[in-house]
Amino acid sequence: MNKLLSGVIAAFSLTASAALAADEVTLQLKWVTQAQFAGYYVAKDKGFYEEEGLDVTILPGGPDIAPTQVIAGGGADVTVEWMPAALAAREKGLPLVNIAQPFKSSGMMLTCWKDAGISSPEDLKNRTLGVWFFGNEFPFMSWMSQLGIDTAGKSESGVEVLKQGFNVDPLLQRQADCISTMTYNEYWQVIDAGVSPDELVTFKYEDQGVATLEDGLYVLEENLSDAAFTDKMERFVRASMKGWKYAEEHPDEAADIVLENDATGAQTEEHQKRMMGEIAKLTAGSNGALDPADFERTVGTLLAGGSDPVITKQPDGAWTHQITDAALN
C-alpha cells in the first residue's frame, strides 16, 4: 500500500472515530425556532459544538410543549426555561438547577393602548389585561401584588386577567386594554399590524423592578453528580456562549442561520433580524455565569406574590456555578 493511500485511510479513520466519539446532547427550547435561541443555532452551524466533541440536537418548543415536562420525562439533557417556571417546578418536586444564564436582562413588558387613559401602573386598575399563562404569569402576578392590585376581576382596586394566547389579537381587537409582549417579538407584531408606537404605552418589567430571569439553561440536579454529564455540560455551555457572543456581533448572519433552521417556514427575514437586534440587548453583559444578585432579585419578586406567591420559601440549590466555572475560566 503506498504512503498516500495509507495516509488517506488513516485520516479517514481518525475522522470516523471522532464522529463516533462525539457526545450527544439534546437541548429543549422554550418556544419555536426563532432568534430568541440564535446562540444555540449559531453554535451548531459554525461548528462550535463539533469543536467541543458534541453532537447537539435542538428541539423546538411550542404552545403544546412544556420544557419542564420534557426534561422530567428524559426527553432532553438540558432545557431553556424562565426562572419563575423553573423555581415553581422545583418547589413542586422537579429538581431543576440553573447551570448557566445567557440572558442578563428581561424582555417582558405590558403593552397598552394610550387612548385608554393609561400612563402609569396605577392606571391599570379596573382594566382588562392580557396575560400569558403556563408559568409565564408568575412575574405579572407578583407585580400586581406589589402594586396592591387584585387580579380577581375589574374593580376600583382590581383588574380582569384575560388568558392571552400567543398572539396580539386581544389588543388589536380591543378585547384588552393591555397585553403581555416581549421587547423582541409581540411588540413588533403590534407595530407590524399598523399601530404607531405613539399610540402605545409600554411598561418594561425591568423598569418596574419586578424583572425575573428568562432563558436560562437548566438540568436535573441528580445528573450533576455524574462526571461524564458535567463534562458534557461544560463543553456545551462553552460552545453555546461562543455562539451567543458571535450572534451578538453578527446579528444579521445569526438571523439568517435561524431562518435556515426554521422547518415551519413561518418566520420572516425582517422579523428575525429585528428580533436578533433586540435579543442581543438582553444577552449583552452576560458571559453565561448566573449573577447571584439577579437570582436574589428574581426570588424576591416571586416571594412577594401576596396570598398566592409563586414560591413559598427561599429555594435551596436552585443554581450552581459548577459548570460555568469550569467552562468559562
Side-chain angles (χ1 to χ4, degrees):
M1 186 184 298
N2 66 43
K3 284 185 179 179
L4 178 61
L5 183 57
S6 61
V8 169
I9 291 171
F12 177 78
S13 299
L14 274 172
T15 305
S17 62
L20 286 171
D23 291 313
E24 294 183 355
V25 173
T26 301
L27 168 68
Q28 175 64 57
L29 301 182
K30 183 170 174 60
W31 192 238
V32 298
T33 301
Q34 58 183 18
Q36 178 182 356
F37 312 107
Y40 310 110
Y41 287 112
V42 167
K44 188 174 172 91
D45 182 84
K46 305 301 284 186
F48 300 157
Y49 290 136
E50 191 178 0
E51 288 168 10
E52 293 285 355
L54 297 175
D55 177 13
V56 176
T57 299
I58 302 175
L59 302 177
D64 302 320
I65 298 171
T68 51
Q69 291 178 12
V70 173
I71 196 167
D77 300 297
V78 56
T79 186
V80 177
E81 186 53 279
W82 287 6
M83 186 167 280
L87 292 180
R90 184 177 177 85
E91 189 166 292
K92 290 186 178 82
L94 181 65
L96 291 176
V97 178
N98 177 300
I99 59 165
Q101 187 59 45
F103 276 45
K104 174 69 176 171
S105 307
S106 165
M108 200 170 191
M109 60 184 183
L110 205 61
T111 295
C112 310
W113 285 114
K114 187 182 286 184
D115 64 14
I118 298 171
S119 60
S120 76
E122 284 298 311
D123 299 326
L124 296 173
K125 295 173 184 173
N126 213 18
R127 311 282 183 177
T128 299
L129 311 180
V131 178
W132 293 314
F133 277 72
F134 303 107
N136 300 331
E137 75 275 20
F138 298 144
F140 170 82
M141 295 302 187
S142 295
W143 182 26
M144 292 300 105
S145 177
Q146 289 184 38
L147 290 171
I149 297 178
D150 182 64
T151 55
K154 268 188 188 181
S155 71
E156 292 306 311
S157 61
V159 295
E160 178 183 349
V161 175
L162 174 72
K163 280 195 178 182
Q164 182 183 333
F166 293 97
N167 59 54
V168 298
D169 293 347
L171 191 75
L172 298 178
Q173 296 169 8
R174 298 275 180 167
Q175 296 165 340
D177 301 293
C178 309
I179 61 169
S180 300
T181 61
M182 301 303 288
T183 56
Y184 51 81
N185 196 0
E186 291 79 13
Y187 172 79
W188 295 102
Q189 292 177 22
V190 175
I191 300 302
D192 287 343
V195 178
S196 164
D198 295 340
E199 298 176 77
L200 302 170
V201 174
T202 59
F203 301 102
K204 290 185 178 180
Y205 281 51
E206 283 279 353
D207 298 340
Q208 300 303 319
V210 292
T212 53
L213 285 169
E214 298 162 3
D215 290 59
L217 292 172
Y218 293 83
V219 301
L220 294 177
E221 188 169 352
E222 63 201 48
N223 291 330
L224 290 172
S225 59
D226 178 350
F229 180 83
T230 57
D231 175 63
K232 276 200 305 187
M233 287 301 104
E234 288 162 15
R235 288 178 280 144
F236 173 75
V237 167
R238 184 161 51 238
S240 296
M241 289 314 300
K242 190 174 178 182
W244 272 118
K245 295 307 147 183
Y246 187 96
E248 281 178 27
E249 294 166 12
H250 307 87
D252 286 353
E253 183 185 349
D256 287 338
I257 290 170
V258 169
L259 287 165
E260 288 166 11
N261 284 277
D262 174 30
T264 68
Q267 306 293 0
T268 65
E269 182 178 5
E270 180 187 16
H271 187 55
Q272 290 309 301
K273 288 189 173 178
R274 189 165 55 190
M275 186 185 292
M276 186 60 236
E278 294 297 326
I279 288 290
K281 297 174 186 176
L282 305 183
T283 57
S286 172
N287 69 347
L290 172 70
D291 183 339
D294 292 340
F295 173 79
E296 293 301 335
R297 183 195 67 208
T298 295
V299 168
T301 296
L302 298 180
L303 284 171
S307 61
D308 189 24
V310 177
I311 51 176
T312 61
K313 58 183 183 292
Q314 184 79 20
D316 182 43
W319 63 274
T320 179
H321 277 162
Q322 174 187 354
I323 302 300
T324 50
D325 280 351
L328 307 174
N329 297 331

